[in-house]
Structures are given as C-alpha cells and as structure tokens.
Amino acid sequence: QAPIKATCEDLSCKTGFPEDVHSAVVSRSVHGGQPLLNVRFQSCDGNKKIHFGSSEPEDFRVGEDGVVYAERSFQLSAEPTEFVVSAQDKETQQEWQMRVKLTPEPAFTGALEKDQRKIEEIIFPWQQYKHSSPLKRQKRDWVIPPINLPENSKGPFPQELVRIRSDRDKSLSLRYSVTGPGADQPPTGIFIINPISGQLSVTKPLDREQIASFHLRAHAVDVNGNQVENPIDIVINVIDMNDNRPEFLHQVWNGTVPEGSKPGTYVMTVTAIDADDPNTQNGMLRYRILSQAPSSPSPNMFTINNETGDIITVAAGLDREKVQQYTLIIQATDMEGNPTYGLSNTATAVIAVTDVNDNPPEFTAMTFYGEVPENRVDVIVANLTVTDKDQPHTPAWNALYRMTGGDPTGRFTILTDPNSNDGLVTVVKPIDFETNRMFVLTVAAENQVPLAKGIQHPPQSTATVSITVIDVNESPYFVPNPKLVRQEEGLMAGSMLTTFTAQDPDRYMQQTSLRYSKLSDPANWLKIDPVNGQITTTAVLDRESIYVQNNMYNATFLASDNGIPPMSGTGTLQIYLLDINDNAPQVHPKEATTCETLQPNAINITAVDPDIDPNAGPFAFELPDTPASIKRNWTIVRISGDHAQLSLRIRFLEAGIYDVPIVITDSGNPHASSTSLLKVKVCQCDLNGDCTDVDRIVGAGLGTGAIIAILLCIIILLILVLMFVVWMKRRDKERQAKQLLIDPEDDVRDNILKYDEEGGGEEDQDYDLSQLQQPDTVEPDAIKPVGIRRLDERPIHAEPQYPVRSAAPHPGDIGDFINEGLKAADNDPTAPPYDSLLVFDYEGSGSTAGSLSSLNSSSSGGEQDYDYLNDWGPRFKKLADMYGGGDD
C-alpha cells in the first residue's frame, strides 16, 4: 500500500487510472523479478491507501509504488500479452481496473550509432480535444522501445540519452519532467531532463547488479502546470558487463565418500555464484579440479561436472586405512570457462573417506587365562583383547563376544568394554569348587555390522578361555532348614526335644568339627549342645504363650567352623505345639448389672478358654451348692456352647452388689473346670430396664487408679490456690510500703534537689544510709545552733524527746521503721502541726553540711537583683522568696 498524491488540480479531477489501456514494450526474454513498467494511478484525495493487484499473479506482480514485476522467467510470444491491473481503496473497498498490454521488443534498427551526433526524439502521442470539454483519456497508438545503456560507462557525464518532445510545443510553451525511481524517487538524481528542451541525460555510471532497469515516466505540462499530454513510459535497460568474479558459497566444502566406492559414486556438490547476468556469458560458470592431495593411489581419483559442480569418483582404490582424507582445489570461471576472457575464483573441497567394515576383529592370543573364587558372582575373571583396523568407536570396530562352548549351565557372560573394545568374562552364577574346579570356554568375536561384500577375511575370530576355580571356606548349612518338630505343650524342662545338625560343604579342607550355639530363642525355652547339636528344653513349653503364633514357635541356631576365615550358617527350628487341656474356662465379663425385680433381669455371660478344640467348648454352666443363697436367689441357663444366661430366681432382691460364683466346665478329656466370680450390681430400674440409683456411678465402679488421680488433682488445685493467696498478700504488703514513702513534690528540700545538678564529683557519692534507717542515732553534737537553721527546716521549738528505739533486726526493713515512727508520732502530744509522715523523711536534728543560707556569692549579694526569679515558675518560687524579698 502507498499513498497516492493527486495530480489533477482542476475541477475535472477524477480518482482512478488515467487510461483504460496501458501499453508497454519490453524485451522478448523476461526474467523473474525483472521490473517491466510503471502504472500510474490518479487520486484526488492524497490520503487514500491504495493496494494494487494483478489478474495474472503467477506471472506478474504490482508493487506498492505501481511498478509491475515479472514473477517468473518466460519468453513473450509475438502477439501482445494482456492482463488487468487493479487498484483497491482499503478503506472504502472501491476498486479501479486498467488493462495492460505488453508488446515484445521489435528489431529496432534505429539504435544509436557511435558516429551519430543526432539524439533520437520521442514525441508524445496526439490527443483529441472537444470544444469547452475537459481533457479526455485516449488510447496510445504506439509505444516507446526500451533504451539500452551499458553499465560502468566512463562518461563524460551527464551523458545525453534521448530528447522528449510534444508536437504541441509549436503553439504552447511547455515544460518537461520525468518521474520514477532514478529520477525523483530513490535513487534520485541518476536521470535528469532539461525542462525546456526535453533532453534526458544520465549523470553517473550505472551498475546492473544493483538496478537492472529503470522505469521512468515523462510528463509535458504548460507554464501553468496543466497537463497537455498523457505521460509516456520510458524503460532504460542496463546492459551487463563482465565486472564480477564468481564467488563460492563456502570457501571450504566438506564431503564424505565410503571407502571401496566404485567409480561414478556421487560425493558432493560445490556451488559458486556470479553477480553478472546469468543469461549472458558474463554469468555462465564452469568448474574444474586444479589439484588433488594426496595423489595416491591415483592423482585423478575424482572428477567434477563443469556445469553443475557435482564431484564424483572416477577411480577405484579408496581405502580409509591408507588415506583418510582428500583435499581438492576447485576453480570456477565465468565466460563459460574461457581462460582468456573469463574471471576465476577457487575454493577447497575436503573429502573424508568413511569407514566400512572391511576388517574383522582378531584376538591377540589364542588362549586366555583367568581364575575366580567359588561362590562369587559379578566378578571379571578374564580380559579378552582384539585388534580391528577399522575406525574406532564405529559399528565396524565395535566387537561383540559370544561363547560357543564350555558353559552349558550359563555361569559366564562376556561384556564389551566400550572404551577399549575388550571382552570382559564375568561370572553370573555361583560356582562350587567341590563340583567344578576348571572351565575351558570357547569364545568368538565379530563386529556389530556384517563385513562389507567382497571381503576375503573370515567374519569372526575365535579363542579359548581357561578359568580356574579357587576353593574358599564356605558357610556350613543346616539340613533341613527350616526343621519342623511336632510336640505337645507341657513338655517339662530338661527334656530332649530333637537334634539339629549342619553340614560343612568344604570336603577338601582340613578343619575340625562344627560348633553349635543358640542365636534366637524368644521365650528362652531351649538350649543346644555345642558339639552334637542336641536340643533340650529349659522350661515348660506352653502353647498359650505370647511367643507362639498359630501354634508355631520359632528358634534360630548357629553352626560355625574354624576355617580361615571362620564361617557360620544359621538354621531355624520350628516347633508345632499340640494343645492339651491345661487351662480352665473363665467367665466373661467379670461384672454385670441387673434389676432388683424379676423382670427384666437376664444377664448374658460367655465362657473363655485359651485352649482350642477339642479342649474348649461346648461348656457346661452351673451354680455351686454352697452357699445356699446362690441357688435360692439365682438361676443359670445355657443358651449355646459358649454362652449362658444368669437371672433372678426370686421376685425381688434388694439393691446392692453381689458376688455370684459360676462353675464352668470345658469338653476336654479329662475335663477342666473353674469357679469364676461374677460381680452383679442389683439396682432399681425404670420402665426401660435402666438403673436409676444415684449411686450407679459408684456401682459401675471407679477404679482405684481413677480415685487416686482425682484426689491428686484436688490437692494440686488447693496448693495452687494457696500459693496464689500468699503471693497476693506479699504483693499488697510491698505496695503499702511503697505508698508510705513521701511524695517528692510535697517536700521543699526534695524540690531543691531536683535541679539538674550532677553533684560535686565522685567525692559526693559516699552516702550514709544509716541516717535514714535510724534517724534517732544522730549524735547530739551534730545539732546546729538555732541561729543558723535553714529556712526550709522545721519551725524552731522544743524538740520532742522520742524514746530511743533499738536498731531494726534487718537494716533494710524500712516498712517496720516507718510504722514504729508513725506510732510514736501519734502518741506524742508535742508533735508539730505538720503531717506526721513528713517526720520520717527527716534526716536528723540538724545537718552536718551546714545551711545553704550561709553560702555567699563571690559577688556582692546586696547588689544582685533576684526579682527575675519570680518569672521562672513555681519551681523557683522558694528561691524568689529567699533572695528576691529585698533587705528583709
């Protein structure tokens, strides 16, 4: 798509092609991609997006700029070739069409002659006008043949080509111009035209390899810019010169050929291209081989097709084992290979001779030897080495090994080492020295791929492998293993059960007899004689033991020899215990509940016997004769072989817990019986037969462990509550002691201490806390005279004589000290009219440091004005009263 600028400036402007039929003359031979002509589309709206199309898209293509190109190479017939060019507005989908007629170039005899000085003239076709009618489109009655211009012309420039003239220049003053690629479109400025004379010239040498032809359009307008002639197309063909050497697509070409190939075998194709016109001798190439290295076995092992560049073999004797690679120098020459006028270039062709299987593997020895300890598997016993002249690590070199004899039971296999190509003879089944002491194997080696045809060597190589078996100390083994013994339970301790012995497979070794020991005996019922393997019991065998599963008891024993190294083997003894009637049946469950009335009062019970049939059920249930109250109050009825039902015989039985003995007898021979106590709770019941007693939980029975756990929980809870109360009391006591301390905001002396003074250094850090703990112990001589008392001290009056208190038991018990002082102050009638709590912050009757009022400033105090202290706030009010009050 391309924007089309409007060329009509008058009211008659109409969008579309300026003509219905556009005729052009082109060369008879058309090549793919060759520009043929330039169609002109007139648009009154310069913003339209126009898309061009062709009715013969397989032959012609129209570019966005209106240039028509050939899609393929073909020869024009003598008759004109016609097709339709369409233009479509992409927005409105409006479409315009124009028929294009291509006429093959005639035998033009009016070409420029070198000695001709006259420039050919091209005259615009005649136009017909009607009176007061706008310009009408007319069909052209003749076309302009192409102008042929050789490339690389040496000038001088600008070089005149042709003169364009209109036959109306006699009556009108016209202006000529050309448009198209090479004129006003890139590349611009190649062709220029004299607007007055219409002389068309070229300004510089042309290069056919860049642009093979130019399609220009000539215009003739009057001085007002009005079009007076339909534009005419001018085609300028650039004539090719042989100015480009052939260039190979690759400087080095790689190919392969199998060794032993017959003459005529295709190897590879090399290709060179020439930028010159391929339809002329300038672009027609020919190939040839300049040299071959190495030159053995023949200096001409290959040839090349001079037109296509195909390289083939021409001689036999390619052998990779002798020559692995050939290097050819290939030359390409244009001018159809003319060595005088053609330009040449060279490239290198490297041909690798690939391997074929023309050499079978051969064993390096006829016999190989190895040895293996008995009973070992996955052991490499021998390495078979072969040689192969083919290329390593290819199917023609890789060896495959197989055994052809000597191993009927398949105890060996041969693997191939992928790196060395050796055969690894490996044991895959255990070998017994006592059975086989030596093996002689026959093996064969061959390649993965068969030998190439025509090779005279045998396809495989054979060798023998002699393998010696080494005797080693083997583990003894029990026979049979496991051993099954059937025995009735109840066999007493010290009874001989069986003999469990092992055998030593080492018949050719000198060693003592085997020793036996017990390895596993879960119930510790057995022992074994270390010499003869006789097993005796050390406890009574019990079929009902937890160590017996499905009547079977398993024990494991160990047999050891004294070989080097010592070896041992294990054996399992399985004792199948036959049941005897050694367990009496018991009642289940042990506890039950029933109502105190006759209905409903049935209790279902079950007999349980650890023995099995025939020493278990069916069971017989009965009540004992004594005490007599049992049969008087209760009755029992068997409802099946294992179940019975106990119920009240009387109409009413007082609520309570009763122990009911029940005699149960099994079916064994002889019978076994037992008397089991069934704890029965008799309770009041509702209509549904459920107990309604308030003590049913106790009757149901809390175990002793549950009761103890409940008591422990209660005790722990009480201890926690007691600890919490003690902690609360202690915390309240500490809080009261803290509340007794004086609020520092209420003490003037403390207010004075709140200034940001950091003290006089480390010397002021020696405090005597005893003055605070025992203020009455201050020595009398420390009391200051009345005349030097500080203004912030207590009023001057007779000091009350407090009773002397003994030192507190603990110096830090400030709480007791405060309480005693409070009591003394309450009982003293001479106490000052101050809060008595302030007394306990008093540090004694006087200060050893003296009054601060006695300190004088270095300057004259009488001349100092302290009235500004009144403006400093309540914290400095005391100082303002002391120093800002004037002489008073």
Side-chain angles (χ1 to χ4, degrees):
Q1 300 175 2
I4 306 299
K5 294 184 179 180
T7 58
C8 298
E9 298 180 359
D10 53 4
L11 297 177
S12 63
C13 177
K14 184 178 181 181
T15 300
F17 291 103
E19 51 198 352
D20 295 331
V21 179
H22 184 90
S23 301
V25 177
V26 297
S27 61
R28 190 174 299 274
S29 297
V30 178
H31 307 291
Q34 176 183 346
L36 302 177
L37 62 127
N38 190 359
V39 296
R40 181 170 173 267
F41 184 85
Q42 180 173 281
S43 175
C44 297
D45 183 4
N47 296 325
K48 285 185 178 298
K49 303 291 185 179
I50 302 301
H51 176 73
F52 293 101
S54 169
S55 62
E56 304 292 338
E58 66 276 2
D59 294 331
F60 304 99
R61 173 177 59 87
V62 185
E64 296 179 356
D65 54 358
V67 178
V68 179
Y69 299 90
E71 279 291 288
R72 60 183 181 88
S73 299
F74 58 91
Q75 293 286 333
L76 288 178
S77 62
E79 297 296 328
T81 301
E82 295 186 4
F83 62 95
V84 177
V85 174
S86 61
Q88 184 179 32
D89 190 338
K90 297 300 292 182
E91 296 180 357
T92 64
Q93 301 299 319
Q94 185 177 0
E95 185 174 314
W96 300 267
Q97 292 184 349
M98 179 182 69
R99 191 168 77 253
V100 177
K101 180 185 295 184
L102 297 181
T103 304
E105 181 180 6
F108 187 64
T109 59
L112 291 176
E113 300 291 340
K114 291 186 178 180
D115 57 346
Q116 252 184 337
R117 295 189 179 181
K118 183 179 179 181
I119 302 300
E120 181 184 359
E121 288 187 354
I122 299 177
I123 302 176
F124 283 91
W126 174 78
Q127 302 286 328
Q128 180 180 3
Y129 294 88
K130 292 184 179 179
H131 297 287
S132 66
S133 63
L135 180 67
K136 299 295 183 179
R137 290 178 292 172
Q138 301 292 335
K139 296 184 180 180
R140 297 185 178 184
D141 54 354
W142 63 284
V143 295
I144 307 302
I147 300 174
N148 297 321
L149 185 64
E151 64 174 335
N152 303 325
S153 175
K154 298 186 179 298
F157 297 101
Q159 178 180 348
E160 296 179 351
L161 300 179
V162 70
R163 182 172 176 237
I164 301 173
R165 188 178 66 83
S166 173
D167 53 3
R168 301 190 64 196
D169 59 354
K170 297 178 181 180
S171 60
L172 296 173
S173 178
L174 303 181
R175 296 294 182 268
Y176 301 98
S177 63
V178 291
T179 59
D184 62 339
Q185 299 178 18
T188 60
I190 297 179
F191 299 97
I192 60 176
I193 189 170
N194 189 313
I196 304 299
S197 64
Q199 182 66 50
L200 180 65
S201 304
V202 61
T203 62
K204 60 181 179 180
L206 303 180
D207 188 355
R208 193 206 66 85
E209 285 71 43
Q210 293 183 358
I211 302 177
S213 63
F214 295 88
H215 295 258
L216 304 180
R217 177 162 288 189
H219 307 269
V221 298
D222 58 17
V223 293
N224 296 323
N226 297 320
Q227 179 178 316
V228 298
E229 298 283 3
N230 279 341
I232 61 174
D233 291 328
I234 301 175
V235 178
I236 301 175
N237 292 329
V238 182
I239 305 303
D240 183 45
M241 305 295 288
N242 190 20
D243 57 344
N244 291 279
R245 289 182 177 273
E247 296 290 341
F248 282 92
L249 297 181
H250 306 286
Q251 195 58 37
V252 178
W253 297 78
N254 295 292
T256 60
V257 60
E259 63 175 332
S261 296
K262 296 180 180 180
T265 302
Y266 171 80
V267 179
M268 60 190 298
T269 299
V270 297
T271 304
I273 58 175
D274 195 317
D276 293 326
D277 189 355
N279 297 311
T280 65
Q281 289 186 344
N282 299 333
M284 295 181 180
L285 307 182
R286 297 295 182 265
Y287 302 93
R288 70 189 185 100
I289 298 176
L290 296 182
S291 64
Q292 169 192 310
S295 59
S296 63
S298 169
N300 298 313
M301 296 294 296
F302 304 93
T303 187
I304 187 170
N305 187 308
N306 64 348
E307 293 185 1
T308 63
D310 294 343
I311 299 176
I312 60 176
T313 61
V314 294
L318 292 174
D319 190 351
R320 192 204 64 86
E321 287 73 33
K322 295 180 180 179
V323 179
Q324 299 182 1
Q325 178 178 289
Y326 290 91
T327 301
L328 307 180
I329 303 300
I330 310 298
Q331 183 186 61
T333 306
D334 57 14
M335 298 297 291
E336 295 185 303
N338 190 314
T340 303
Y341 303 104
L343 301 177
S344 302
N345 214 335
T346 60
T348 302
V350 179
I351 302 174
V353 182
T354 58
D355 187 37
V356 299
N357 192 15
D358 56 348
N359 294 282
E362 297 180 2
F363 283 104
T364 58
M366 295 301 297
T367 303
F368 296 89
Y369 298 92
E371 59 183 19
V372 58
E374 64 174 332
N375 300 321
R376 296 284 299 276
V377 294
D378 297 330
V379 177
I380 298 175
V381 297
N383 276 24
L384 311 181
T385 57
V386 295
T387 59
D388 195 319
K389 297 179 182 180
D390 292 322
Q391 185 176 357
H393 306 291
T394 62
W397 178 81
N398 296 335
L400 297 178
Y401 299 88
R402 58 187 178 89
M403 280 178 290
T404 59
D407 184 24
T409 58
R411 299 183 181 274
F412 300 93
T413 188
I414 305 178
L415 306 176
T416 302
D417 188 328
N419 296 321
S420 63
N421 212 26
D422 292 346
L424 309 178
V425 182
T426 307
V427 181
V428 294
K429 292 182 180 180
I431 302 174
D432 187 8
F433 173 82
E434 286 71 25
T435 305
N436 301 99
R437 299 187 182 185
M438 178 174 288
F439 290 87
V440 178
L441 309 178
T442 303
V443 297
E446 56 188 4
N447 292 124
Q448 287 183 349
V449 295
L451 286 176
K453 295 181 179 180
I455 304 301
Q456 302 299 325
H457 301 288
Q460 65 182 17
S461 178
T462 59
T464 58
V465 183
S466 178
I467 300 176
T468 302
V469 182
I470 302 174
D471 190 16
V472 297
N473 186 25
E474 300 177 79
S475 301
Y477 58 93
F478 285 86
V479 179
N481 190 16
K483 183 176 183 179
L484 178 63
V485 176
R486 300 174 66 88
Q487 176 64 46
E488 282 189 353
E489 64 173 331
L491 183 65
M492 302 305 294
S495 302
M496 199 279 288
L497 182 62
T498 185
T499 299
F500 197 20
T501 59
Q503 298 179 6
D504 193 341
D506 298 313
R507 299 192 300 269
Y508 302 100
M509 286 189 174
Q510 299 294 331
Q511 54 189 11
T512 60
S513 59
L514 302 177
R515 305 287 293 181
Y516 300 96
S517 60
K518 184 172 63 173
L519 186 62
S520 172
D521 183 12
N524 200 21
W525 285 346
L526 309 172
K527 70 175 181 179
I528 188 170
D529 188 282
V531 177
N532 58 23
Q534 189 177 72
I535 298 175
T536 57
T537 60
T538 58
V540 177
L541 303 184
D542 185 6
R543 191 198 65 84
E544 289 75 33
S545 171
I546 60 174
Y547 302 105
V548 178
Q549 300 293 331
N550 298 325
N551 303 327
M552 191 75 71
Y553 180 76
N554 295 324
T556 306
F557 298 92
L558 186 70
S560 305
D561 61 18
N562 61 346
I564 301 175
M567 301 298 291
S568 61
T570 60
T572 301
L573 179 64
Q574 295 180 334
I575 305 174
Y576 186 86
L577 294 174
L578 303 176
D579 185 40
I580 61 174
N581 196 12
D582 56 345
N583 293 280
Q586 300 291 328
V587 68
H588 180 79
K590 297 292 185 180
E591 298 178 356
T593 303
T594 187
C595 298
E596 58 185 4
T597 59
L598 186 61
Q599 296 293 336
N601 65 348
I603 301 173
N604 293 325
I605 60 175
T606 303
V608 178
D609 193 335
D611 294 327
I612 59 176
D613 290 336
N615 298 319
F619 300 97
F621 300 88
E622 59 182 344
L623 297 175
D625 296 332
T626 58
S629 60
I630 298 300
K631 286 191 174 182
R632 183 176 63 250
N633 297 335
W634 305 91
T635 179
I636 190 169
V637 178
R638 190 178 77 170
I639 58 178
S640 66
D642 297 336
H643 305 281
Q645 199 171 67
L646 179 68
S647 58
L648 285 174
R649 180 184 293 272
I650 59 179
R651 293 182 177 273
F652 177 82
L653 183 63
E654 185 179 357
I657 297 177
Y658 298 87
D659 291 334
V660 180
I662 300 175
V663 179
I664 305 175
T665 305
D666 61 21
S667 300
N669 186 18
H671 300 293
S673 64
S674 66
T675 301
S676 299
L677 287 179
L678 176 64
K679 186 180 293 294
V680 180
K681 177 193 174 184
V682 180
C683 61
Q684 297 178 1
C685 297
D686 56 14
L687 296 178
N688 297 324
D690 299 326
C691 284
T692 59
D693 294 354
V694 294
D695 60 339
R696 59 182 177 271
I697 297 178
V698 178
L702 285 177
T704 303
I707 296 175
I708 294 176
I710 294 174
L711 292 178
L712 287 176
C713 292
I714 294 174
I715 293 173
I716 292 173
L717 183 61
L718 291 176
I719 293 175
L720 291 176
V721 172
L722 181 61
M723 291 176 63
F724 179 74
V725 170
V726 172
W727 177 75
M728 291 293 295
K729 280 181 166 290
R730 189 179 188 90
R731 192 180 67 168
D732 293 342
K733 187 175 181 180
E734 292 177 355
R735 185 184 297 110
Q736 291 175 2
K738 291 180 181 179
Q739 291 176 353
L740 291 176
L741 297 177
I742 299 175
D743 188 359
E745 295 293 337
D746 299 333
D747 192 356
V748 177
R749 293 169 296 171
D750 205 21
N751 290 338
I752 295 175
L753 294 176
K754 282 190 175 181
Y755 302 129
D756 296 333
E757 296 180 2
E758 297 184 0
E762 296 179 355
E763 297 178 356
D764 290 344
Q765 305 302 318
D766 187 12
Y767 301 119
D768 185 8
L769 297 179
S770 64
Q771 299 298 324
L772 181 62
Q773 297 168 351
Q774 300 179 10
D776 292 334
T777 61
V778 180
E779 297 180 359
D781 56 4
I783 302 175
K784 301 186 299 295
V786 176
I788 60 174
R789 184 179 299 276
R790 300 194 308 270
L791 294 178
D792 58 339
E793 291 182 351
R794 298 171 58 191
I796 301 174
H797 56 77
E799 295 286 345
Q801 299 298 323
Y802 298 104
V804 178
R805 297 181 296 271
S806 60
H810 192 283
D813 195 355
I814 188 66
D816 295 341
F817 166 71
I818 292 175
N819 290 329
E820 292 177 3
L822 177 61
K823 182 178 180 181
D826 292 339
N827 297 328
D828 184 10
T830 63
Y834 291 89
D835 189 351
S836 60
L837 292 178
L838 295 177
V839 177
F840 305 119
D841 195 29
Y842 185 61
E843 298 182 0
S845 58
S847 175
T848 58
S851 174
L852 293 176
S853 302
S854 63
L855 299 178
N856 295 325
S857 174
S858 59
S859 63
S860 176
E863 299 176 359
Q864 184 74 23
D865 184 12
Y866 295 100
D867 291 338
Y868 60 86
L869 294 175
N870 293 317
D871 301 331
W872 286 13
R875 291 184 177 273
F876 294 87
K877 186 176 183 304
K878 190 66 177 178
L879 289 177
D881 294 341
M882 294 170 58
Y883 294 97
D887 295 339
D888 295 337

